[in-house]
Amino acid sequence: MTAGHDHERRSEDRRDTVMVYIDPQALQSMEQAAWDAKQASQALLEAAEDGDLNAQLQLARNYQMGRGLEKNDEEAVYWFAKAADGGHLAALFELGLCYAAGRGVKRDEAQALELYRQAAEAEFIPAICALGVCYDTGAGLMEDPEKAVELYHHAAEAGYPRAQFYLGRCYECGRGVEKDMHKAVELYTEAQRNGSAHAAWALGMCYEQGNGVPVDKMVAAELYLEAADDGFAAAQCNLGFFYGHGIAVGQDAAKAVYWFTKAAEQGYARAQYLLGVCYETGFGAAKNRRKAVALYRAAAVQGYGEAIDALDRLGRSI
């Protein structure tokens, strides 16, 4: 034990004298990139102030994402509104998204709906799909599943993957249209090929469960991986479950924990519960009851039943 402590002490002493070498070329490249970003932002701001609608839209997006300048949702809304006032349809739509989410502006579903309608009347496809979501969920108006299907269909025919996914979901659930799993699979496949992570996950579920297609868990795993790599939490959780149980992939506890963690960090309740199980049992991670309880609680407050049961079993409250 003494030798171990002496080694730690010597290591700490050495840290004080270690010189960190930075390649001058790498440093110059970093400084140049920072300078270029600053110059680009200044040029974009000047163009936006001169009334360039595309510059106003891009500046709004940059403020929203914190690209090349400090993130500022209020400034983003200001420039979205400027571009929208000039008739830029994408800005009109994205301003609607801000009102719907309450991002940079007070949440106002009615205002979001009005902005979507204006853009949809000019045949802006993403706005047509968003309007469909409003009718589907009753956001800002009375639910009308049939109207939602009509709008999704319009946008899906234009090749918009989000609408293809939503329309597929309507066919899968029989919402606003007669249930048809084969049609749902067809639409999910189209949307997945057009880059929709939601659709890749939904199609994976179809292959896992044999809904509208023969059961093929290998294909399901491939689709979950595609959506998981794109950051889709439900797919990350499903992929973690596959690794945890050796379904269509070799059992790998570390990979299961990795994917559960990715999904849990996004607040996905099922993943929080399953990651809690991993910490409680030591599956793929060192046992840590404190972490397990915290994860069970995070899932339980979202109403996840198995997490509530786990807390009861451990004698803990939500």
Side-chain angles (χ1 to χ4, degrees), residues 53 56-57 61 79-85 87-96 115 124:
L53 298 182
Q56 290 171 348
L57 174 65
R61 289 171 173 170
W79 287 109
F80 279 136
K82 289 283 283 186
D85 287 345
H88 200 299
L89 296 178
L92 196 64
F93 166 65
E94 292 182 45
L95 183 59
L115 291 163
F124 189 69

Tab-separated table of all heavy atoms in Angstrom, residues 53 56-57 61 79-85 87-96 115 124:
chain	number	residue	atom	x	y	z
A	53	LEU	N	-32.587	38.373	-47.586
A	53	LEU	CA	-33.458	37.440	-46.860
A	53	LEU	C	-32.758	36.137	-46.519
A	53	LEU	O	-32.946	35.579	-45.430
A	53	LEU	CB	-34.726	37.161	-47.678
A	53	LEU	CG	-35.628	38.361	-47.974
A	53	LEU	CD1	-36.866	37.920	-48.748
A	53	LEU	CD2	-36.036	39.076	-46.687
A	56	GLN	N	-30.523	36.717	-43.638
A	56	GLN	CA	-31.299	36.847	-42.405
A	56	GLN	C	-31.687	35.463	-41.865
A	56	GLN	O	-31.577	35.204	-40.663
A	56	GLN	CB	-32.554	37.683	-42.659
A	56	GLN	CG	-32.247	39.153	-42.922
A	56	GLN	CD	-33.454	39.939	-43.397
A	56	GLN	OE1	-34.496	39.369	-43.742
A	56	GLN	NE2	-33.331	41.263	-43.439
A	57	LEU	N	-32.106	34.578	-42.771
A	57	LEU	CA	-32.469	33.218	-42.355
A	57	LEU	C	-31.259	32.495	-41.792
A	57	LEU	O	-31.335	31.866	-40.732
A	57	LEU	CB	-33.038	32.443	-43.548
A	57	LEU	CG	-33.327	30.957	-43.287
A	57	LEU	CD1	-34.429	30.788	-42.251
A	57	LEU	CD2	-33.696	30.240	-44.586
A	61	ARG	N	-30.544	31.048	-37.959
A	61	ARG	CA	-30.159	29.662	-37.657
A	61	ARG	C	-28.845	29.613	-36.882
A	61	ARG	O	-28.682	28.793	-35.969
A	61	ARG	CB	-30.043	28.865	-38.955
A	61	ARG	CG	-31.381	28.576	-39.621
A	61	ARG	CD	-31.188	27.972	-40.998
A	61	ARG	NE	-32.453	27.538	-41.594
A	61	ARG	CZ	-32.570	27.156	-42.866
A	61	ARG	NH1	-31.508	27.175	-43.679
A	61	ARG	NH2	-33.748	26.775	-43.338
A	79	TRP	N	-34.383	37.629	-36.275
A	79	TRP	CA	-33.984	37.509	-37.679
A	79	TRP	C	-34.904	36.581	-38.468
A	79	TRP	O	-35.127	36.801	-39.658
A	79	TRP	CB	-32.521	37.072	-37.768
A	79	TRP	CG	-31.591	38.191	-37.395
A	79	TRP	CD1	-30.826	38.304	-36.273
A	79	TRP	CD2	-31.385	39.398	-38.150
A	79	TRP	NE1	-30.145	39.493	-36.272
A	79	TRP	CE2	-30.460	40.188	-37.404
A	79	TRP	CE3	-31.870	39.894	-39.354
A	79	TRP	CZ2	-30.022	41.433	-37.856
A	79	TRP	CZ3	-31.432	41.137	-39.791
A	79	TRP	CH2	-30.526	41.902	-39.049
A	80	PHE	N	-35.474	35.562	-37.813
A	80	PHE	CA	-36.498	34.757	-38.499
A	80	PHE	C	-37.672	35.661	-38.888
A	80	PHE	O	-38.206	35.579	-39.998
A	80	PHE	CB	-37.011	33.630	-37.593
A	80	PHE	CG	-36.144	32.411	-37.524
A	80	PHE	CD1	-35.887	31.792	-36.309
A	80	PHE	CD2	-35.592	31.850	-38.668
A	80	PHE	CE1	-35.105	30.648	-36.229
A	80	PHE	CE2	-34.807	30.707	-38.607
A	80	PHE	CZ	-34.558	30.110	-37.378
A	81	ALA	N	-38.078	36.525	-37.944
A	81	ALA	CA	-39.212	37.424	-38.192
A	81	ALA	C	-38.897	38.411	-39.314
A	81	ALA	O	-39.768	38.709	-40.146
A	81	ALA	CB	-39.585	38.165	-36.911
A	82	LYS	N	-37.669	38.934	-39.339
A	82	LYS	CA	-37.279	39.855	-40.404
A	82	LYS	C	-37.379	39.179	-41.766
A	82	LYS	O	-37.935	39.754	-42.722
A	82	LYS	CB	-35.840	40.339	-40.180
A	82	LYS	CG	-35.664	41.281	-39.010
A	82	LYS	CD	-36.130	42.693	-39.297
A	82	LYS	CE	-35.131	43.448	-40.142
A	82	LYS	NZ	-35.534	44.878	-40.294
A	83	ALA	N	-36.848	37.974	-41.858
A	83	ALA	CA	-36.892	37.251	-43.135
A	83	ALA	C	-38.320	36.861	-43.497
A	83	ALA	O	-38.719	36.914	-44.669
A	83	ALA	CB	-35.994	36.011	-43.070
A	84	ALA	N	-39.097	36.473	-42.491
A	84	ALA	CA	-40.502	36.106	-42.733
A	84	ALA	C	-41.299	37.305	-43.236
A	84	ALA	O	-42.120	37.184	-44.157
A	84	ALA	CB	-41.117	35.547	-41.453
A	85	ASP	N	-41.053	38.481	-42.643
A	85	ASP	CA	-41.730	39.697	-43.092
A	85	ASP	C	-41.401	40.020	-44.544
A	85	ASP	O	-42.212	40.634	-45.262
A	85	ASP	CB	-41.332	40.883	-42.207
A	85	ASP	CG	-41.957	40.814	-40.823
A	85	ASP	OD1	-42.906	40.025	-40.646
A	85	ASP	OD2	-41.480	41.528	-39.916
A	87	GLY	N	-41.069	37.743	-46.760
A	87	GLY	CA	-41.683	36.719	-47.595
A	87	GLY	C	-40.898	35.434	-47.738
A	87	GLY	O	-41.211	34.601	-48.594
A	88	HIS	N	-39.889	35.230	-46.894
A	88	HIS	CA	-39.096	34.000	-46.976
A	88	HIS	C	-39.874	32.868	-46.315
A	88	HIS	O	-40.124	32.891	-45.109
A	88	HIS	CB	-37.744	34.194	-46.288
A	88	HIS	CG	-36.707	33.203	-46.718
A	88	HIS	ND1	-36.860	31.851	-46.535
A	88	HIS	CD2	-35.503	33.371	-47.337
A	88	HIS	CE1	-35.793	31.227	-47.000
A	88	HIS	NE2	-34.955	32.128	-47.499
A	89	LEU	N	-40.271	31.856	-47.091
A	89	LEU	CA	-41.155	30.803	-46.593
A	89	LEU	C	-40.497	29.939	-45.524
A	89	LEU	O	-41.141	29.565	-44.543
A	89	LEU	CB	-41.642	29.931	-47.752
A	89	LEU	CG	-42.514	30.639	-48.787
A	89	LEU	CD1	-42.901	29.687	-49.905
A	89	LEU	CD2	-43.770	31.222	-48.130
A	90	ALA	N	-39.225	29.605	-45.704
A	90	ALA	CA	-38.536	28.793	-44.689
A	90	ALA	C	-38.469	29.542	-43.368
A	90	ALA	O	-38.646	28.949	-42.290
A	90	ALA	CB	-37.139	28.424	-45.169
A	91	ALA	N	-38.242	30.862	-43.425
A	91	ALA	CA	-38.190	31.668	-42.205
A	91	ALA	C	-39.564	31.718	-41.534
A	91	ALA	O	-39.678	31.647	-40.304
A	91	ALA	CB	-37.705	33.075	-42.528
A	92	LEU	N	-40.603	31.833	-42.339
A	92	LEU	CA	-41.975	31.842	-41.828
A	92	LEU	C	-42.255	30.547	-41.062
A	92	LEU	O	-42.772	30.557	-39.938
A	92	LEU	CB	-42.943	31.985	-43.002
A	92	LEU	CG	-44.382	32.382	-42.731
A	92	LEU	CD1	-44.468	33.780	-42.130
A	92	LEU	CD2	-45.186	32.331	-44.044
A	93	PHE	N	-41.873	29.430	-41.670
A	93	PHE	CA	-42.065	28.118	-41.053
A	93	PHE	C	-41.235	27.983	-39.776
A	93	PHE	O	-41.739	27.553	-38.726
A	93	PHE	CB	-41.680	27.033	-42.055
A	93	PHE	CG	-41.507	25.667	-41.457
A	93	PHE	CD1	-42.575	25.000	-40.894
A	93	PHE	CD2	-40.260	25.045	-41.457
A	93	PHE	CE1	-42.421	23.731	-40.337
A	93	PHE	CE2	-40.098	23.786	-40.916
A	93	PHE	CZ	-41.173	23.133	-40.342
A	94	GLU	N	-39.967	28.362	-39.824
A	94	GLU	CA	-39.091	28.186	-38.663
A	94	GLU	C	-39.457	29.136	-37.532
A	94	GLU	O	-39.263	28.823	-36.357
A	94	GLU	CB	-37.630	28.316	-39.085
A	94	GLU	CG	-37.209	27.144	-39.964
A	94	GLU	CD	-35.759	27.163	-40.399
A	94	GLU	OE1	-34.884	27.425	-39.539
A	94	GLU	OE2	-35.488	26.906	-41.586
A	95	LEU	N	-40.020	30.279	-37.863
A	95	LEU	CA	-40.560	31.172	-36.836
A	95	LEU	C	-41.737	30.485	-36.143
A	95	LEU	O	-41.903	30.583	-34.917
A	95	LEU	CB	-40.993	32.495	-37.455
A	95	LEU	CG	-41.514	33.571	-36.499
A	95	LEU	CD1	-40.464	33.944	-35.454
A	95	LEU	CD2	-41.957	34.807	-37.278
A	96	GLY	N	-42.547	29.774	-36.926
A	96	GLY	CA	-43.647	28.998	-36.349
A	96	GLY	C	-43.131	27.947	-35.376
A	96	GLY	O	-43.713	27.739	-34.302
A	115	LEU	N	-48.654	30.821	-38.658
A	115	LEU	CA	-47.435	30.890	-39.471
A	115	LEU	C	-47.304	29.664	-40.371
A	115	LEU	O	-46.935	29.776	-41.547
A	115	LEU	CB	-46.218	31.041	-38.564
A	115	LEU	CG	-46.130	32.395	-37.840
A	115	LEU	CD1	-45.160	32.316	-36.664
A	115	LEU	CD2	-45.703	33.497	-38.810
A	124	PHE	N	-45.215	25.422	-49.150
A	124	PHE	CA	-43.955	25.074	-48.498
A	124	PHE	C	-44.175	23.747	-47.775
A	124	PHE	O	-44.904	23.678	-46.783
A	124	PHE	CB	-43.517	26.171	-47.524
A	124	PHE	CG	-42.134	25.969	-46.986
A	124	PHE	CD1	-41.023	26.096	-47.809
A	124	PHE	CD2	-41.934	25.654	-45.647
A	124	PHE	CE1	-39.741	25.908	-47.316
A	124	PHE	CE2	-40.667	25.466	-45.141
A	124	PHE	CZ	-39.560	25.594	-45.984
